[in-house]
Amino acid sequence: MSNDNNPTKSGPEKESLDSSRKGSNRKTGSKKRGDSKTRGRSNNAVQRGRLNRPNAYQRQKNDVGMPPDLDLSIQEEITGGNFKLRGRKTQVSINHLLEFQLPEIERQREHISNKKASSRHSNSDQHAHLHGDSFINANYKLFVNDRADYREQSNDPNKLVPEEKIIRVVVPKGQNCPICLSEEPIAPRMITCGHIFCMSCLINFFSIEETIKNPETGYVKKKKYKECPLCGSIVRRERVKAVLFEDASIYKSHDKKPTPGSLTTLQLMCKPHGSVLALPVQLKLDPLQVGDFPPLTCKELEPYARIMKCDKEQSVRFFQEDAEAIETQNEIDKALYGGNNKYVKEALAEIDTQIATILSEEDYEDTTSMIKSMERLNIDLPSKYDDSTAYFFYQTFFQSSTKFFLSPMDVKILLTTFHNYSAFPETLHAMVENVYYGTIVTESFINRYKYIGHLPIGTEVALIDIDWRSVPSIPKEVYDQFAVELRQRRRKFNMKKQKEDKQKKIYEKMLEKEQAEFYRRENSNFPYQDDFEIVNSYNSIRSSPVVLDSLGPSETNLNEDETSNVSKKKSYKEKTIWGTSISVTPNDKIIKENQEFEEMLLKRMQQEDASSDTSRDEKTQGGSRNGKKGKKKGKIMLFSNNNHQFK
């Protein structure tokens, strides 16, 4: 009876199986012998760690049974990025052999890199880092030589004007010289970083030779460059620019800085396409006919032009005014301090050289003769230009380097009312609701608001919100259309104002606390807690609208004697030896004791003086008989006055 389920083999099958096992053993043994031979020839490789030895994880796997899902867990670690391989060979990609890729990880890394790039791009769009000539170009007005060509600046306002073509940099008043500390620099000059000095002070600064000493070797060498004494920027004498303080009389009297709650007047500006000059519509002057850079003879255009051309006569007049100012100040210095300033002579000689250079230049044919007859340029700009050929926008307060424009939401309200930008009123009188500062002109900002394309990158812009409840020209239906947005804007402004006021009060209390702590440190018996409460109560009383002097005697619980005693005991301020002031309250008991002590000392002094007089008379009489003079002994009395206590 045969059993088919019996796994044992017999006969020829068993013999073939045994022979196959022996053959495999012979192959294994030869392989081991070959490995032993190879091991002897590769000792250096073993020392360098190139052979794969079983680690603790593999020994544990051989000794103890591992779970069947080991490969799956390793694959999950690899896909999750937690499995880290080390060595030079692990850096070589074998994905093409394994047909295995990591799309999720690559996609995640790509997303992170794109996020970082977008954040860097957004930061660069919000900020413009200006330094040197770029800062001057964005913040100040320039008077340039009219004998040069400025096509690059007409096409791109960010193109810098060459230094040799700049006659004057116009800056606002209120800057003093950091060297001589004069309130207004004499013949002001600007260095590369934008700081302003007197011309003679700057010549003195560049004449001083600075040295650098090596601390190790002690070798001293001359410094090749100069640094600004204020910011440390590298400056050179050949890159100094002449400065002119702007004349405030060219601006209109009603052109005031807009502040929340004040009335302002905004002017409708017209800037044709392809022009970098924007002029008010009420001037009735065509910016294209005037030119991008009008001459300085047109005084009424000076508030609106960023760059103006200066002829030879005006250039010479500017240098002559500098020379007169230097000579006048030199005479004053001689009368006050005496001596002779050699740097003044160098400054006057340099001015004479610059005047001679200007006069030696060829005369330039005046191409602005049409400006002299302004009547020929009078034109109705809205009739000549429309929204497709020019930009129309509102602007105010042209005196500041910050440009004030109407906010986009208010422009939208006007556009809903008048349907076209060119149909806006020439002037807009309204109440200012809020002013937003901190906006910088960038490329993205210009792409969004193309009407400011004539401003250089880095120019500061302020946006004005208008309270349309004070503007009668806006219909009621238009106002109702934007009423919700206007209320939200007003609520945000009020919340921001309340937050700022709260932070201001917290800051003031912090200062009071720091001051009280300082007094407590200076005077060990200074009661910090009580004094802080007194300060708070005093502030609350000071801010109270009730007039305390009007309170009658019936409203108080104090009698006349008590009020007189309170007035006598009223604290006062007294300075310490450190120069600080502390509160002092008189003490009646200590005052009485000090008075008694002083009276006792005075009586004692009077008695000693009387006895000393009698003894002196006797000694003088005896000394006259003996031929000797008596010697008077001096006395020193120390008084201690502790008639007050510190509070």
Side-chain angles (χ1 to χ4, degrees):
M1 186 174 179
S2 62
N3 189 3
D4 297 335
N5 296 327
N6 189 5
T8 60
K9 303 293 181 180
S10 62
E13 295 180 359
K14 184 177 181 180
E15 295 177 357
S16 61
L17 180 61
D18 294 336
S19 62
S20 63
R21 288 177 179 175
K22 292 178 181 180
S24 62
N25 292 332
R26 286 195 297 270
K27 291 179 181 179
T28 307
S30 62
K31 185 176 181 182
K32 290 181 179 179
R33 289 192 294 271
D35 291 341
S36 63
K37 294 178 182 179
T38 307
R39 191 180 301 113
R41 293 194 299 267
S42 58
N43 290 330
N44 297 332
V46 172
Q47 293 176 1
R48 292 191 297 268
R50 301 267 179 125
L51 292 180
N52 297 324
R53 293 183 178 180
N55 52 20
Y57 181 82
Q58 292 176 348
R59 288 197 298 268
Q60 184 180 2
K61 179 180 178 182
N62 295 330
D63 297 340
V64 183
M66 298 299 291
D69 56 345
L70 176 63
D71 297 336
L72 181 60
S73 63
I74 293 176
Q75 185 176 359
E76 289 178 355
E77 290 181 359
I78 293 174
T79 55
N82 299 323
F83 189 79
K84 297 182 180 179
L85 299 175
R86 296 178 177 84
R88 188 177 63 182
K89 292 184 179 181
T90 58
Q91 299 177 2
V92 181
S93 176
I94 57 174
N95 290 341
H96 62 284
L97 300 177
L98 300 177
E99 296 181 358
F100 177 76
Q101 294 181 354
L102 303 173
E104 296 182 359
I105 297 176
E106 292 178 359
R107 192 180 305 114
Q108 184 179 3
R109 291 177 180 174
E110 183 179 0
H111 175 70
I112 294 173
S113 62
N114 292 336
K115 185 177 181 180
K116 291 181 179 179
S118 62
S119 63
R120 289 194 300 267
H121 183 68
S122 61
N123 292 333
S124 62
D125 289 343
Q126 295 296 330
H127 302 280
H129 302 282
L130 301 178
H131 182 73
D133 294 336
S134 300
F135 176 82
I136 296 171
N137 183 57
N139 292 276
Y140 298 129
K141 188 178 298 184
L142 301 178
F143 290 166
V144 298
N145 193 343
D146 63 347
R147 292 171 292 280
D149 188 13
Y150 304 98
R151 295 180 184 178
E152 294 183 357
Q153 288 74 24
S154 299
N155 298 327
D156 186 5
N158 298 302
K159 290 291 183 180
L160 302 178
V161 179
E163 295 180 359
E164 63 274 8
K165 298 179 182 179
I166 298 177
I167 303 298
R168 295 282 151 161
V169 179
V170 184
V171 300
K173 292 184 178 181
Q175 305 188 38
N176 55 358
C177 178
I179 296 178
C180 66
L181 302 180
S182 61
E183 295 181 356
E184 184 173 335
I186 307 301
R189 294 295 184 268
M190 179 183 291
I191 55 180
T192 309
C193 57
H195 292 117
I196 300 174
F197 302 82
C198 296
M199 186 177 182
S200 58
C201 295
L202 200 59
I203 293 175
N204 185 10
F205 170 73
F206 281 111
S207 64
I208 299 174
E209 294 184 357
E210 299 181 7
T211 57
I212 303 175
K213 184 178 181 180
N214 192 336
E216 297 179 356
T217 61
Y219 176 72
V220 179
K221 65 177 181 179
K222 184 180 178 181
K223 206 171 183 179
K224 295 181 179 179
Y225 54 85
K226 302 286 289 186
E227 295 180 354
C228 175
L230 295 179
C231 64
S233 301
I234 298 176
V235 296
R236 295 178 177 84
R237 186 170 181 176
E238 59 272 10
R239 299 193 62 183
V240 175
K241 302 177 181 65
V243 174
L244 178 68
F245 290 110
E246 65 181 358
D247 185 11
S249 61
I250 63 174
Y251 301 97
K252 296 181 179 180
S253 58
H254 64 270
D255 190 14
K256 298 180 180 179
K257 185 176 181 179
T259 56
S262 64
L263 290 172
T264 187
T265 301
L266 295 108
Q267 299 186 25
L268 182 64
M269 309 294 291
C270 175
K271 185 177 78 71
H273 294 175
S275 176
V276 295
L277 178 64
L279 295 178
V281 175
Q282 63 179 359
L283 288 181
K284 299 186 181 301
L285 295 176
D286 189 359
L288 291 179
Q289 295 182 7
V290 172
D292 293 332
F293 310 122
L296 191 56
T297 54
C298 300
K299 289 296 181 181
E300 60 179 332
L301 301 181
E302 188 173 347
Y304 315 109
R306 189 176 62 88
I307 299 177
M308 300 190 74
K309 293 181 178 180
C310 184
D311 58 13
K312 183 185 295 186
E313 295 179 358
Q314 293 166 340
S315 302
V316 172
R317 180 167 52 85
F318 288 147
F319 285 109
Q320 290 176 351
E321 291 176 355
D322 288 343
E324 293 176 359
I326 292 174
E327 291 176 351
T328 303
Q329 185 64 35
N330 188 31
E331 295 296 330
I332 296 174
D333 293 341
K334 281 183 179 180
L336 294 176
Y337 312 109
N340 191 5
N341 193 348
K342 65 176 183 178
Y343 303 108
V344 172
K345 295 181 180 179
E346 293 183 12
L348 294 175
E350 185 176 341
I351 290 175
D352 293 339
T353 303
Q354 293 173 343
I355 292 175
T357 302
I358 295 174
L359 294 176
S360 63
E361 294 178 356
E362 296 180 359
D363 293 334
Y364 182 69
E365 184 179 356
D366 188 11
T367 59
T368 60
S369 58
M370 58 181 176
I371 303 296
K372 297 179 181 178
S373 57
M374 302 296 291
E375 297 179 356
R376 293 188 298 171
L377 296 178
N378 289 347
I379 189 173
D380 188 11
L381 294 180
S383 62
K384 182 178 181 180
Y385 299 103
D386 54 8
D387 296 349
S388 61
T389 57
Y391 298 107
F392 293 88
F393 55 91
Y394 279 106
Q395 188 177 353
T396 186
F397 194 57
F398 301 92
Q399 186 176 357
S400 174
S401 59
T402 303
K403 309 303 178 183
F404 292 84
F405 298 98
L406 192 62
S407 64
M409 184 176 177
D410 298 324
V411 174
K412 188 177 179 181
I413 294 174
L414 289 171
L415 186 62
T416 306
T417 304
F418 299 98
H419 307 291
N420 292 315
Y421 295 100
S422 58
F424 287 179
E426 293 184 358
T427 57
L428 180 63
H429 303 278
M431 181 77 69
V432 178
E433 190 174 70
N434 192 16
V435 181
Y436 296 95
Y437 294 93
T439 305
I440 303 297
V441 175
T442 57
E443 292 183 0
S444 61
F445 195 78
I446 293 175
N447 293 332
R448 188 176 180 182
Y449 305 105
K450 298 187 181 299
Y451 61 87
I452 62 170
H454 62 290
L455 299 178
I457 291 178
T459 306
E460 186 178 358
V461 173
L463 301 177
I464 303 174
D465 289 344
I466 296 299
D467 187 2
W468 293 105
R469 294 173 296 183
S470 61
V471 180
S473 60
I474 300 300
K476 186 177 181 303
E477 55 272 12
V478 176
Y479 181 82
D480 295 339
Q481 183 178 350
F482 296 93
V484 178
E485 298 180 9
L486 293 174
R487 281 196 298 268
Q488 291 178 356
R489 185 177 73 177
R490 198 176 298 113
R491 185 173 67 254
K492 288 181 180 179
F493 169 69
N494 293 331
M495 292 174 62
K496 182 181 178 181
K497 187 177 180 181
Q498 292 176 0
K499 184 178 179 180
E500 291 177 352
D501 294 341
K502 185 177 179 180
Q503 292 177 352
K504 184 179 179 181
K505 291 181 179 178
I506 293 174
Y507 179 71
E508 291 177 351
K509 290 182 179 179
M510 184 181 67
L511 290 180
E512 293 176 356
K513 185 177 179 180
E514 291 178 354
Q515 189 177 12
E517 289 178 352
F518 172 75
Y519 289 151
R520 182 171 56 86
R521 289 193 302 267
E522 291 290 331
N523 307 280
S524 58
N525 58 349
F526 184 81
Y528 159 71
Q529 202 75 352
D530 297 338
D531 185 81
F532 191 60
E533 293 176 358
I534 291 172
V535 171
N536 291 336
S537 62
Y538 172 73
N539 290 335
S540 62
I541 293 173
R542 184 178 59 180
S543 60
S544 176
V546 180
V547 181
L548 301 179
D549 295 339
S550 62
L551 297 177
S554 60
E555 297 178 3
T556 63
N557 296 325
L558 298 176
N559 297 326
E560 293 181 358
D561 297 337
E562 294 178 350
T563 55
S564 62
N565 294 331
V566 170
S567 61
K568 288 181 181 178
K569 295 183 180 181
K570 186 178 180 181
S571 62
Y572 59 92
K573 296 289 184 178
E574 184 173 292
K575 285 191 175 182
T576 64
I577 59 175
W578 298 282
T580 59
S581 59
I582 58 176
S583 299
V584 177
T585 302
N587 193 328
D588 296 337
K589 184 178 179 180
I590 297 176
I591 292 174
K592 187 176 181 180
E593 292 177 355
N594 290 332
Q595 289 177 353
E596 293 177 355
F597 180 71
E598 290 177 359
E599 291 177 357
M600 182 185 67
L601 287 176
L602 289 174
K603 290 179 180 178
R604 181 72 179 272
M605 289 174 63
Q606 291 175 0
Q607 292 175 1
E608 290 181 355
D609 289 340
S611 61
S612 63
D613 291 339
T614 55
S615 62
R616 191 185 307 115
D617 294 337
E618 293 176 356
K619 287 181 180 180
T620 52
Q621 292 176 1
S624 61
R625 290 191 295 266
N626 298 329
K628 295 181 180 180
K629 294 183 179 179
K631 197 176 209 180
K632 182 180 178 181
K633 293 183 179 181
K635 293 184 179 181
I636 299 174
M637 297 297 296
L638 300 177
F639 288 90
S640 175
N641 186 8
N642 295 324
N643 58 353
H644 58 266
Q645 64 179 5
F646 296 106
K647 185 176 178 182

